Amino acid sequence: MKRADGPRAAARESIDVAPHPPADGASIDLVVGGFLQAMASVRDDYRVARSYLTSDIADRWDPHAKVTIYDATNHKPASTVATAALQAPVVGQIDSRGHYHPTSSQTLNHDFGMAQESGQWRISRPPEGVLISQYTFQRSWSTIPIYFLTEAADRLVPDVIHLPSAAADPDAALRAMTAGVPEPLDAVLRTALPDGVTVTGTTSVDAVGVVTVPLSASAAQLSPSQRRLLASQVTWTLNGFAAISRIRFTAGGSLLSLPEAAEDQSVSADLYAEFIPFPATHSPTVVAVIKGQMGRVAASGHNFRIMPGALGRGATTNNSVAEVASTQFTMPMISPRSPGAIWHAVSADRRSLLTWQEGSEDIQVLATGVNLRRPQVLRDHSIMTFSDTDPTLIVVGSDGARMSTVVDLGGCRVTSFSVAPDAVRVALVLERGKTRALGIGLLSRQEGAVHLSHITDIPLSSSDVNLSIITDVAWLSQTRLCVLGRAIDAGVTTPYEIVVDGSGATSMGQLTATSMAAVVALPTEMGTEAVVLCEDGTLLLHEESFRWRQILQGVNAVAVTT
């Protein structure tokens, strides 16, 4: 599986809409239908869409205010001899900066205010902004990652915006970047563009794909380290556009020199790969637990090698494992040259967070709680899990010391979680009463404590998908996740790929008649290893699109590592 936000994948494949102006004598139905179609085209500032409006309204209508996305399935405009209105469920909205905001249980009710003008039907009451169907959004809009720096300036983290495909170009991406870090990401991210340095014009791309980004003359005063940070942010933001191969900058019209640049002062994203937190591995390791014993699963599958030591071959009823932590770090096998990897796990009674070195008979308890969740090892080697008891968020530092945590779940209970590869976003399965929904929070370190804040609900519903019950989640990339979900209690839980802001949900296949119980994934530079565990103990490895391959049976828990 390729990373959705990797090189050349900023914009999804799409179609452009070429609408027509109203025909002479067009009926109310044709005028309203034509207007709805024309709002999908941004050409000439919505020139065709404006032609459906009365002359006094056409120039006053602001199509850029916002975008309302509605479910057009079985919801068409209703008309009479002199009126027309549209009533339909609202799926989401896009604000003026291109950010998607999912909605739940909202209905669009709009009267178009039909009026006669020179004997022709026209619309006198256009919507605030534009209306587009979810079908149009999925096929005529592009999703673009806009990168910003962490406060420590050691990683790049993408925000996601959505633009009509006809307007999704490098200049639009740069405008979004120079507008600054949006809320709530501004609490944990910053821009590399210093005050006083601006993009002064439009970009230009030469015949070999080198794009020139014009900056103000003040950019020449930046230090080499500042230039490198700025180049990394801009380069990764523009890296997804297929026409661009390399990037260079000018300052006040003169070529800006950059550290590590080629002779023509151009750079590519490869120079700044360290800012994108993916391990460079060709073959991630799948770790399974069978009858409480930890072991590795061969790449070909159907071969389970139990690890030596207390949580492997030495595991007993009183000393076994319920969950294993996934990690981005290399976990070497025990050998004469290697003492074996250090693993983190949850005990069979889910009351102890354990650490254990493969091959050892000694097990250390790092923390205790009630119904501990599947843990995860973070970039700084700290270990994170959740408990049903207070404090619900448990983080143990790389030195084995328990860290202070601050989190407000608003009365919810976390039943599963997954930390993004950049360790900034956390995907949460939040239980409220009988419902389980997806939430996204932000992780930060402040005054020695770990804070999980700005938790936002992500409703997952559309004309094709209505995931009212989410059971597990894993990151496929920095901007896309795999969720296990279903529409009703009695339904079968299956995997879906979603955009981090909830703007799209795509089925990854109906795997079996048995519900999925867990999903783990490891994004790498080569792609993403995703594995699901079925309720009947079958382990399935994702290969591509809807294709999954059975690799093991009788499994109780699963993790994936480098």
Side-chain angles (χ1 to χ4, degrees), residues 323-384:
E323 300 281 6
V324 180
S326 293
T327 174
Q328 291 185 333
F329 304 106
T330 301
M331 306 296 274
M333 295 178 63
I334 189 169
S335 70
R337 296 184 179 181
S338 172
I342 295 177
W343 298 93
H344 300 89
V346 169
S347 60
D349 62 4
R350 293 187 176 272
R351 290 182 173 272
S352 299
L353 177 62
L354 310 174
T355 182
W356 166 70
Q357 185 164 31
E358 186 176 344
S360 171
E361 298 302 324
D362 296 324
I363 304 170
Q364 181 182 353
V365 177
L366 296 177
T368 58
V370 175
N371 198 19
L372 294 178
R373 310 300 186 264
R374 180 183 62 221
Q376 186 171 341
V377 180
L378 308 187
R379 284 175 48 87
D380 61 358
H381 293 264
S382 60
I383 306 98
M384 179 173 167

Side-chain angles (χ1 to χ4, degrees), residues 37-363:
Q37 183 183 35
M39 282 190 286
S41 175
V42 301
R43 293 183 179 181
D44 300 326
D45 194 27
Y46 293 89
R47 177 181 57 83
V48 175
R50 293 181 192 275
S51 68
Y52 286 87
L53 307 180
T54 56
S55 56
D56 61 323
I57 294 296
D59 291 335
R60 292 159 50 193
W61 175 53
D62 180 12
H64 307 288
K66 66 177 181 180
V67 177
T68 299
I69 304 166
Y70 67 96
D71 181 359
T73 308
N74 300 321
H75 298 95
K76 307 300 180 185
S79 64
T80 67
V81 293
T83 66
L86 176 62
Q87 184 177 67
V90 176
V91 175
Q93 292 185 332
I94 299 174
D95 63 27
S96 58
R97 289 190 60 175
H99 295 110
Y100 179 88
H101 303 277
T103 59
S104 179
S105 303
Q106 291 189 21
T107 301
L108 169 69
N109 288 286
H110 185 75
D111 185 335
F112 291 96
M114 303 307 299
Q116 284 275 330
E117 188 172 83
S118 301
Q120 305 292 326
W121 284 112
R122 292 294 181 265
I123 294 168
S124 69
R125 195 178 299 123
E128 180 185 1
V130 299
L131 305 176
I132 60 171
S133 68
Q134 187 171 38
Y135 178 89
T136 297
F137 175 67
Q138 291 171 341
R139 288 156 180 80
S140 300
W141 283 61
S142 296
T143 302
I144 302 176
I146 307 297
Y147 286 85
F148 297 98
L149 286 166
T150 57
E151 289 291 347
D154 60 346
R155 283 159 286 154
L156 285 167
V157 179
D159 179 32
V160 171
I161 66 168
H162 304 270
L163 297 172
S165 295
D169 56 28
D171 291 308
L174 285 176
R175 284 194 296 272
M177 192 200 80
T178 56
V181 186
E183 295 180 346
L185 287 173
D186 59 347
V188 293
L189 301 179
R190 68 179 181 88
T191 182
L193 192 69
D195 291 339
V197 177
T198 60
V199 177
T200 57
T202 58
T203 59
S204 59
V205 184
D206 66 17
V208 294
V210 178
V211 64
T212 300
V213 178
L215 301 176
S216 56
S218 54
Q221 306 303 315
L222 299 179
S223 68
S225 61
Q226 287 177 308
R227 296 184 190 192
R228 190 172 193 274
L229 290 176
L230 177 57
S232 69
Q233 183 178 340
V234 173
T235 300
W236 274 101
T237 294
L238 300 185
N239 187 56
F241 292 94
I244 295 176
S245 61
R246 297 180 68 82
I247 298 171
R248 62 187 167 209
F249 300 82
T250 59
S254 300
L255 207 58
L256 183 68
S257 63
L258 296 171
E260 306 168 289
E263 288 186 11
D264 64 353
Q265 293 304 315
S266 67
V267 294
S268 65
D270 293 342
L271 283 175
Y272 312 113
E274 77 269 23
F275 290 97
I276 304 298
F278 292 112
T281 180
H282 292 272
S283 55
T285 299
V286 176
V287 176
V289 177
I290 296 181
K291 297 180 180 179
Q293 297 178 310
M294 289 175 54
R296 288 179 172 84
V297 182
S300 59
H302 307 289
N303 184 3
F304 179 65
R305 292 169 292 176
I306 301 175
M307 299 176 185
L311 295 184
R313 297 192 191 102
T316 64
T317 303
N318 298 323
N319 184 30
S320 59
V321 172
E323 300 281 6
V324 180
S326 293
T327 174
Q328 291 185 333
F329 304 106
T330 301
M331 306 296 274
M333 295 178 63
I334 189 169
S335 70
R337 296 184 179 181
S338 172
I342 295 177
W343 298 93
H344 300 89
V346 169
S347 60
D349 62 4
R350 293 187 176 272
R351 290 182 173 272
S352 299
L353 177 62
L354 310 174
T355 182
W356 166 70
Q357 185 164 31
E358 186 176 344
S360 171
E361 298 302 324
D362 296 324
I363 304 170

Side-chain angles (χ1 to χ4, degrees), residues 455-466:
I455 298 173
T456 304
D457 287 346
I458 308 293
L460 297 177
S461 62
S462 70
S463 57
D464 302 316
V465 176
N466 182 17

